[in-house]
Amino acid sequence: MEDRILYLEGSSGISGDMTVGALLDLGADEAHLRNELSKLPLSHYEIVVGRVKKNGIDSCAFRVAVAEEHQPHRSYGDIEQMIMESELEEKVKRLAVKIFYVLAKAEAKVHGVTTDTVHFHEVGAVDSIIDIVAAAICICDLGITQTAVGTLREGCGTTRCQHGEIPVPVPATAELIAQYGLPVSLTDTKGEMITPTGAAIAAALRSRELLPEEMVIRDIGIGAGTKEFPHANILRAMIVSEIRKPEDVWVLETNVDDCSGEQLGFLQEELFRLGVKDAVYLPAYMKKNRPAYLLQVLCQEEMAEAAEDMIFRESTSIGIRRYRAGRNVLERRMERIPTKYGEIRMKICYRSNHVYTYPEYEDIRRAATKEGIGYREVYEAAVREAGELLDRK
């Protein structure tokens, strides 16, 4: 399956609302986000999503408006319990809690307390909880498999918080940068550009240091910040895929004409269990015109010896041909596509600017059986609706 690598390019730092805005602009579903956030036991807030221009660049603005009198401070334990007891998807819960834990460790270090007892202030308020959980929901919705974080630019001077005037980067942000080795560039721009929430999201998501040497950009999203700087206060996010080069595989071939069908079937199962890439039988005729089978196996070089041992052990073969071959594989990912016949899993494959969609057999069979219609009718409808959905993206 094709990796969907998220790249966060923090040329103007990073914050929670900028991240969510960029992810929504990448294609995360706003209706799904709102529905999932409603599962949290929080009230007295409103989500506003819209388009704004930052230095002429069209951006997605994600804002959480909260009544000031409804801003209680919560501990890490309170927030963890709230998330884990909610009806959010398990993968969203795990990611959201991970981000909060990363943030709690930094805050605990700064204030000299334990992670369990640390009380958040700004980050424990409703808007920050929404930002972090919303980021987790969007990441899971987009099917992100890896994340790379570019150099995050930070400002200088001081900023005001509940502790009064403090230097930029603020202590929690500086601790996150130090603990997780986030790449940072300090600039002479006055003000805070990297917030603790933004730094925690970047630290928790970051799973690779570098982008692929060769890649294709699939989507681009721009999230708008709330502050005004001389430069565009935006976070650019991209979904990229690595360009896979042809790989070398080994081809193992042998002819067999005195094995039972059961024996050949067992051998194929064992080869797949071993981990070969493919194993097929092709009809053939041997000497004296005896019907036979050509067994052809594709595998990595390091597996060739074990595969040959398996063939000799489980068949009547007394000789195997072995040669190296090049192999090109389409970049691909699995996606669930909503159709009028229900959700169908589709294999989405790419080559250059072409996209190919292939429905999963079991899903088509199940839908055709349930609806009492032909396999081909469901198949064609699924391909058509997948194409329309991908065009909209």
Side-chain angles (χ1 to χ4, degrees):
M1 185 182 298
E2 178 190 67
D3 279 331
R4 287 170 61 80
I5 303 169
L6 175 67
Y7 176 53
L8 298 175
E9 182 190 65
S11 60
S12 185
I14 186 171
S15 65
D17 55 1
M18 291 167 74
T19 304
V20 179
L23 295 174
L24 286 170
D25 206 32
L26 270 176
D29 187 84
E30 181 184 339
H32 174 71
L33 173 63
R34 290 179 180 275
N35 181 66
E36 292 301 293
L37 287 174
S38 68
K39 297 176 181 179
L40 292 173
L42 298 173
S43 58
H44 304 289
Y45 74 89
E46 180 184 2
I47 293 174
V48 180
V49 179
R51 309 298 304 184
V52 299
K53 291 193 184 301
K54 289 289 186 177
N55 289 37
I57 299 176
D58 183 57
S59 316
C60 178
F62 175 83
R63 306 288 181 258
V64 183
V66 185
E68 285 299 321
E69 65 271 20
H70 297 286
Q71 288 278 357
H73 297 164
R74 297 174 175 86
S75 69
Y76 167 72
D78 296 333
I79 295 171
E80 180 186 29
Q81 182 177 5
M82 175 200 305
I83 293 171
M84 296 308 295
E85 291 181 354
S86 73
E87 295 183 0
L88 290 165
E89 295 180 35
E90 284 302 316
K91 58 185 179 181
V92 172
K93 291 180 183 180
R94 291 194 299 270
L95 181 54
V97 168
K98 178 182 178 181
I99 297 170
F100 267 110
Y101 180 72
V102 164
L103 188 53
K105 282 205 307 179
E107 291 280 0
K109 178 76 176 295
V110 168
H111 296 292
V113 296
T114 65
T115 302
D116 290 335
T117 59
V118 65
H119 273 73
F120 296 136
H121 296 286
E122 283 88 348
V123 294
V126 171
D127 51 349
S128 294
I129 294 173
I130 293 295
D131 282 348
I132 289 176
V133 176
I137 293 168
C138 290
I139 288 291
C140 295
D141 185 37
L142 290 169
I144 301 300
T145 56
Q146 300 179 55
T147 300
V149 179
T151 300
L152 304 174
R153 296 177 65 197
E154 176 61 296
C156 64
T158 61
T159 188
R160 177 167 290 279
C161 70
Q162 292 195 6
H163 301 294
E165 288 284 333
I166 55 176
V168 173
V170 301
T173 297
E175 188 62 35
L176 285 162
I177 291 169
Q179 282 186 18
Y180 293 92
L182 294 175
V184 175
S185 172
L186 301 181
T187 71
D188 57 4
T189 301
K190 298 294 183 182
E192 179 187 32
M193 292 162 60
I194 306 175
T195 68
T197 300
I201 291 172
L205 292 181
R206 188 178 182 224
S207 59
R208 58 183 297 159
E209 293 187 6
L210 300 175
L211 287 170
E213 289 186 12
E214 297 182 50
M215 62 185 184
V216 176
I217 298 176
R218 299 296 180 199
D219 292 293
I220 300 174
I222 307 291
T226 57
K227 298 176 182 177
E228 296 299 329
F229 295 122
H231 59 270
N233 185 20
I234 58 173
L235 174 68
R236 182 159 64 173
M238 305 179 191
I239 293 179
V240 305
S241 301
E242 185 172 5
I243 297 176
R244 293 187 173 93
K245 298 180 180 179
E247 62 175 332
D248 283 345
V249 294
W250 282 88
V251 181
L252 311 180
E253 292 181 347
T254 186
N255 300 342
V256 290
D257 65 352
D258 53 354
C259 276
S260 69
E262 292 86 354
Q263 193 173 354
L264 294 175
F266 180 78
L267 170 57
Q268 187 183 48
E269 291 175 0
E270 290 299 291
L271 286 167
F272 279 124
R273 189 173 292 115
L274 182 65
V276 304
K277 293 183 175 296
D278 204 358
V280 298
Y281 290 108
L282 303 173
Y285 284 92
M286 294 176 63
K287 58 188 177 182
K288 299 182 182 179
N289 290 323
R290 286 201 299 262
Y293 290 99
L294 165 65
L295 169 61
Q296 190 176 78
V297 176
L298 299 183
C299 65
Q300 298 287 8
E301 182 176 9
E302 60 269 18
M303 193 176 291
E305 197 70 29
E308 287 187 350
D309 289 343
M310 181 76 69
I311 294 169
F312 284 131
R313 190 185 75 199
E314 299 297 344
S315 77
T316 56
S317 172
I318 58 173
I320 299 172
R321 299 178 293 279
R322 180 201 286 201
Y323 56 91
R324 191 189 299 271
R327 179 174 181 256
N328 260 322
V329 180
L330 292 180
E331 298 174 26
R332 59 199 183 276
R333 73 175 190 269
M334 191 68 74
E335 190 167 321
R336 294 180 181 274
I337 302 294
T339 75
K340 63 181 179 181
Y341 300 119
E343 196 173 68
I344 302 291
R345 289 173 299 164
M346 303 282 291
K347 193 175 292 180
I348 314 296
C349 302
Y350 302 89
R351 182 173 175 84
S352 301
N353 294 323
H354 300 287
V355 180
Y356 308 95
T357 56
Y358 302 104
E360 286 292 287
Y361 165 77
E362 288 297 336
D363 290 6
I364 298 294
R365 182 191 62 79
R366 183 175 60 252
T369 302
K370 179 182 177 182
E371 299 292 333
I373 58 178
Y375 178 93
R376 183 174 176 180
E377 183 176 347
V378 179
Y379 184 98
E380 291 177 349
V383 170
R384 183 175 59 253
E385 293 184 39
E388 293 171 354
L389 179 62
L390 292 171
D391 287 343
R392 291 197 296 272
K393 289 184 176 182

